[in-house]
């Protein structure tokens, strides 16, 4: 698996430290509240697991799955729901937990989807952002790291369903997907 990696971008220590900073901000902003953390499957499952264990406020957790990539490294631009919410978000504070923002189309779609379902507030917590790739105005309230336009894997992120279990975020060799 590591043969397919050209460089480690963020190691475990760096990720852990940044997540505890993000968790501290969330705890402060949501003091005396019980937000619903909505993890966007599958890429954010490891981020969610580490993030919620650093929180000292009560939270509820739900999952949503959307699709716009298939087995490609480029967004198709059309977002669709593959697994819907189980909890009722009406009147609730929601924090969307997403692995990475590239074009931003997924996050925008999900934010609007949750607002449409009557959430009182929607915040976004994103581990990685590729600002150069945005195709729209994207609101990220809690951001882990800004990165360049490389395709990255590990710490939950995949290429064709592989590499999610790498404990760090790494740049995938271009020859793997070109
Ligand atoms: P967007 O809609 O173009 O912002 O794409 C967001 C989704 O595409 C993310 O939630 C990821 O699942 C996937 N994605 C975008 N860039 C990468 C990457 O570099 N590695 C792995 N997945 C990515
Ligand atoms: Mg994702």
């Amino acid at each position: 698996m590591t043969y397919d990696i050209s460089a480690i971008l963020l190691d475990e220590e760096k990720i852990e430290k940044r997540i505890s900073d993000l968790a501290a901000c969330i705890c402060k902003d949501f003091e005396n509240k019980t937000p619903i953390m909505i993890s966007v499957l599958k890429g954010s499952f490891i981020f969610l697991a580490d993030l919620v264990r650093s929180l000292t406020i009560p939270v509820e957790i739900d999952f949503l799955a959307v699709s716009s990539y298939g087995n490609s490294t480029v967004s198709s631009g059309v977002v669709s729901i593959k697994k819907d919410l189980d909890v009722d978000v009406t009147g609730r504070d929601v924090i969307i937990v997403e692995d990475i923002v590239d074009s931003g189309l997924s996050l925008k779609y999900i934010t609007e989807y949750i607002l449409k379902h009557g959430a009182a507030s929607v915040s976004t917590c994103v581990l990685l952002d590729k600002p150069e790739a945005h195709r729209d105005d994207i609101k990220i309230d809690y951001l882990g790291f800004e990165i360049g336009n490389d395709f990255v894997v590990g710490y939950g992120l995949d290429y064709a369903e592989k590499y999610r279990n790498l404990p760090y975020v790494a740049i995938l060799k271009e020859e793997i997907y070109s």
Side-chain angles (χ1 to χ4, degrees):
M1 213 167 35
T2 52
Y3 297 123
D4 301 342
I5 294 312
S6 66
I8 294 179
L9 197 60
L10 302 164
D11 63 23
E12 290 149 272
E13 199 186 326
K14 221 170 166 178
I15 297 171
E16 189 186 317
K17 200 177 163 304
R18 188 71 193 122
I19 288 180
S20 78
D21 295 343
L22 293 179
C25 292
I26 291 173
C27 288
K28 191 165 149 274
D29 294 351
F30 289 86
E31 205 188 345
N32 300 318
K33 292 182 174 169
T34 304
I36 305 176
M37 315 280 293
I38 295 182
S39 161
V40 185
L41 293 173
K42 302 176 194 170
S44 69
F45 79 108
I46 294 180
F47 179 38
L48 175 86
D50 283 344
L51 181 67
V52 295
R53 283 180 294 173
S54 297
L55 295 174
T56 51
I57 54 163
V59 293
E60 292 174 26
I61 292 167
D62 198 10
F63 298 92
L64 186 69
V66 297
S67 171
S68 73
Y69 274 55
N71 273 354
S72 161
T73 59
V74 185
S75 170
S76 68
V78 181
V79 186
S80 62
I81 302 273
K82 284 174 67 186
K83 186 232 160 269
D84 210 341
L85 297 171
D86 291 322
V87 298
D88 182 6
V89 296
T90 312
R92 301 293 305 272
D93 297 306
V94 170
I95 303 173
I96 300 168
V97 180
E98 177 63 302
D99 54 355
I100 187 164
V101 169
D102 187 270
S103 70
L105 297 173
S106 307
L107 191 64
K108 199 162 178 113
Y109 180 89
I110 295 164
T111 303
E112 280 162 13
Y113 183 80
I114 291 168
L115 280 171
K116 207 174 68 190
H117 280 74
S121 72
V122 180
S123 308
T124 55
C125 180
V126 173
L127 181 66
L128 307 169
D129 183 30
K130 296 182 185 174
E132 291 160 40
H134 290 187
R135 283 197 235 160
D136 212 327
D137 264 355
I138 309 301
K139 179 180 85 83
I140 301 176
D141 299 294
Y142 307 97
L143 173 64
F145 305 91
E146 269 190 11
I147 63 169
N149 258 346
D150 302 296
F151 195 82
V152 293
V153 295
Y155 197 74
L157 290 99
D158 75 311
Y159 170 64
E161 295 302 329
K162 271 175 73 185
Y163 312 106
R164 293 193 197 275
N165 57 317
L166 290 172
Y168 44 75
V169 174
I171 298 175
L172 192 62
K173 280 185 185 160
E174 248 180 77
E175 65 211 53
I176 304 297
Y177 58 84
S178 55

